[in-house]
Amino acid sequence: MLAERNFRRLFWTRLISQTGDGIVTAAIGTYVFFNATTFTSPTAAASALTVLYLPYSLIGPFAGVFIDRWSRRQILVLSALLRSVFVVLTAALMASSSHGLPLYISYLLVLGVNRFFLASLSAALPHVVSEDKLVMANSVSPTAGGIMGTIGGIVAAGLNAASGDTERGAAITMLVAGGCYVAASLVAATMHRDLLGPRREPGASRPGRLLAELGSVVGELAAGMRYVLRRRGPTSVLAAIGGSKFLFGILFVMSILLYRNYFYPSSAPSAEGHYVGLATASGIGYACAALLVPPATRRLTKPALIALLLAASAVVTGALGETFDQIAYLAIGFCLYLAGQGVAICAVTILQEEVEDEYRGRMFAFYDVMFNVTLAAGALVSASFMPRTGKSPVLIGVVAVGYAVTAALYWFIARQPSVPGEEPGTSSPSSAAQASSS
């Protein structure tokens, strides 16, 4: 993979950018959730996640239309620069001790542009690797990016803790992330403007000005939705991602509350420091997915592996979650991130294989929406039932059963035979995966 020059450029663009993502996430997370002057409640934690993840996800599909019309290389270059500007704004608000709506809006802008950036990376990947290497590319590239994000987050959290979790320390950390985004833009600029697509037929007209483009966005978005719904493979994969992320949103809020209010209720710095340990264990599990998924897909179809990983998540959550022991929760973090990234690798590969390039940007925008909206929804719904300390055996049981049901439903759909009249190239996920594996 690394012998391919264009893949290396795209790869380094991702690594540098996601290092910045990890720094930003840690800076804002410690500022909001592990501030020494605050005591996080379920409603506050869920509301913060909802404000940060839900609004921009609702406009994500509209961005996907432009990913299918504009040069994806230009999107990478310009969106990275735009994020650096929004990061500077966020840092200024943090330095002024802001905890209100302006801070959320500025961070929302950083996240929104970032998902635009990541969806473009996923849509561009098939342009720099051959089809028979897509599983490996989707294992190596996003997973390595996630590892760099974890490393950046751990370093940032450590710096915040060392500075006593001060507003000025968090602001300086954010500015370091801005430097990463500028560097990512410069690397992306070394690629040819048309290298990453979208492909256009000879003689096809190029997109016009922004205002003119907006007039056709709604129609193209509807066309993209119809395209998805007529293809059982992509539709079932998106549903599986949505179900698993809804459940993960519950656990995410629970983990914050447990460390902040149950394990270390009297010391925010201690809670933050040990939460970094959980993040580290989770990051190691995330990285292991890149080692395990490619050989696993040579023995199992990708839909079978998705179902197996979701079922394993159910077992781990049910067996270890009820202990409410920190060591057990390190194991849960490791296993759930391994399983979650394994599901994502298989899901993204299925989408790349079964979706035509002209629809791929919209498809990955839909993927991001499903990923983030359901995560925020899980966090918001659980806030009504979760105690302030986060310790809830009932919710752990519900999440474990939810993973098992998601696995069973996805496997049932994946095993269904092809429907007569289904559009060409829309074979069932199982048959498509078998063809790809062979």
Side-chain angles (χ1 to χ4, degrees):
M1 297 291 301
L2 293 174
E4 301 289 339
R5 181 187 183 194
N6 290 325
F7 173 80
R8 289 200 307 272
R9 293 179 175 182
L10 194 67
F11 186 57
W12 279 109
T13 300
R14 177 187 285 274
L15 293 187
I16 297 170
S17 174
Q18 290 199 247
T19 300
D21 295 346
I23 295 172
V24 167
T25 300
I28 197 72
T30 55
Y31 185 84
V32 173
F33 297 122
F34 293 98
N35 193 303
T37 63
T38 62
F39 192 75
T40 305
S41 68
T43 301
S47 297
L49 289 174
T50 301
V51 168
L52 295 177
Y53 284 89
L54 187 59
Y56 82 86
S57 293
L58 296 179
I59 65 173
F62 295 92
V65 173
F66 293 107
I67 295 174
D68 289 333
R69 295 174 69 85
W70 293 348
S71 165
R72 291 168 188 156
R73 178 265 201 180
Q74 289 299 94
I75 290 175
L76 296 179
V77 171
L78 297 177
S79 62
L81 288 177
L82 187 58
R83 270 186 298 164
S84 67
V85 174
F86 292 145
V87 162
V88 172
L89 174 61
T90 306
L93 291 170
M94 294 170 75
S96 65
S97 301
S98 171
H99 285 86
L101 189 60
L103 176 67
Y104 284 122
I105 291 175
S106 65
Y107 185 50
L108 177 64
L109 293 172
V110 175
L111 282 175
V113 177
N114 184 45
R115 299 313 300 180
F116 195 29
F117 182 92
L118 292 177
S120 297
L121 282 174
S122 295
L125 191 59
H127 290 269
V128 295
V129 298
S130 58
E131 185 175 346
D132 63 324
K133 295 181 180 178
L134 272 177
V135 171
M136 180 62 71
N138 284 312
S139 299
V140 171
S141 190
T143 305
I147 292 170
M148 294 305 298
T150 300
I151 292 172
I154 291 171
V155 172
L159 290 173
N160 285 338
S163 66
D165 297 310
T166 63
E167 286 80 0
R168 180 171 295 180
I172 293 173
T173 303
M174 289 289 288
L175 293 178
V176 174
C180 290
Y181 294 146
V182 172
S185 176
L186 294 175
V187 174
T190 63
M191 292 180 281
H192 189 274
R193 183 187 182 100
D194 296 325
L195 173 67
L196 306 178
R199 295 191 182 97
R200 295 186 178 88
E201 295 298 328
S205 60
R206 287 186 173 271
R209 296 181 179 276
L210 176 60
L211 292 179
E213 293 293 295
L214 290 175
S216 61
V217 163
V218 175
E220 293 195 23
L221 181 59
M225 183 63 70
R226 290 193 298 271
Y227 181 93
V228 173
L229 295 177
R230 289 197 296 265
R231 288 157 173 79
R232 187 169 59 253
T235 301
S236 60
V237 163
L238 291 176
I241 288 293
S244 64
K245 290 304 169 183
F246 179 88
L247 300 169
F248 186 80
I250 299 174
L251 295 179
F252 190 74
V253 171
M254 181 179 289
S255 69
I256 292 172
L257 295 173
L258 283 171
Y259 276 81
R260 182 66 180 87
N261 301 337
Y262 180 71
F263 295 140
Y264 303 97
S266 60
S267 176
S270 294
E272 179 185 343
H274 285 84
Y275 199 81
V276 169
L278 176 62
T280 302
S282 301
I284 294 172
Y286 185 95
C288 287
L291 303 176
L292 299 177
V293 170
T297 56
R298 290 194 287 268
R299 296 179 176 272
L300 299 171
T301 65
K302 288 183 281 294
L305 187 55
I306 288 174
L308 180 62
L309 290 171
L310 291 173
S313 299
V315 173
V316 169
T317 302
L320 300 179
E322 301 287 356
T323 65
F324 292 97
D325 176 80
Q326 287 190 65
I327 301 299
Y329 272 66
L330 293 178
I332 292 176
F334 174 89
C335 294
L336 288 188
Y337 270 81
L338 189 159
Q341 179 60 5
V343 169
I345 291 169
C346 294
V348 168
T349 305
I350 289 173
L351 294 179
Q352 289 170 339
E353 290 173 342
E354 300 192 17
V355 175
E356 298 169 74
D357 186 60
E358 62 185 293
Y359 289 96
R360 205 171 277 150
R362 278 164 285 182
M363 180 63 67
F364 283 104
F366 292 147
Y367 177 90
D368 281 341
V369 169
M370 187 62 70
F371 189 105
N372 292 288
V373 169
T374 53
L375 189 150
L380 193 61
V381 170
S382 66
S384 302
F385 308 98
M386 193 175 296
R388 194 175 183 86
T389 61
K391 184 179 181 181
S392 176
V394 173
L395 276 179
I396 287 290
V398 169
V399 170
V401 172
Y403 273 123
V405 171
T406 302
L409 288 176
Y410 176 75
W411 182 235
F412 174 78
I413 296 172
R415 294 186 64 189
Q416 297 305 303
S418 298
V419 178
E422 193 172 16
E423 293 191 11
T426 61
S427 57
S428 69
S430 180
S431 60
Q434 288 173 337
S436 174
S437 297
S438 61

